[in-house]
Amino acid sequence: MSRSRSYHEKLIQDLKDPLEAAAYIEVVLEENDPRMLSKALKNVIEAYGGIVKLNFTA
């Protein structure tokens, strides 16, 4: 029997899609909660392989 993925694992997988990541950040910004934004940004950075692998060029 296969074990189901955790919410966090699924979230990180979904955030690898730039459109999903942008929508996620947009929703979090609407909450106007700095702690929530900090966690959301950490999740997006994790999805992209960490701060070292994050590419800041457009």
Side-chain angles (χ1 to χ4, degrees), residues 15-47:
L15 292 176
K16 291 178 181 182
D17 176 342
L19 294 176
E20 289 289 333
Y24 175 68
I25 295 297
E26 188 175 324
V27 169
V28 170
L29 285 171
E30 290 174 2
E31 294 297 320
N32 200 29
D33 181 343
R35 288 176 299 185
M36 189 180 280
L37 178 59
S38 176
K39 182 61 177 168
L41 291 173
K42 287 177 184 177
N43 287 335
V44 171
I45 290 168
E46 181 181 341

Side-chain angles (χ1 to χ4, degrees), residues 4-14 24 43:
S4 64
R5 292 189 298 173
S6 72
Y7 170 79
H8 183 75
E9 290 170 327
K10 172 80 167 98
L11 174 64
I12 297 304
Q13 185 64 40
D14 290 345
Y24 175 68
N43 287 335

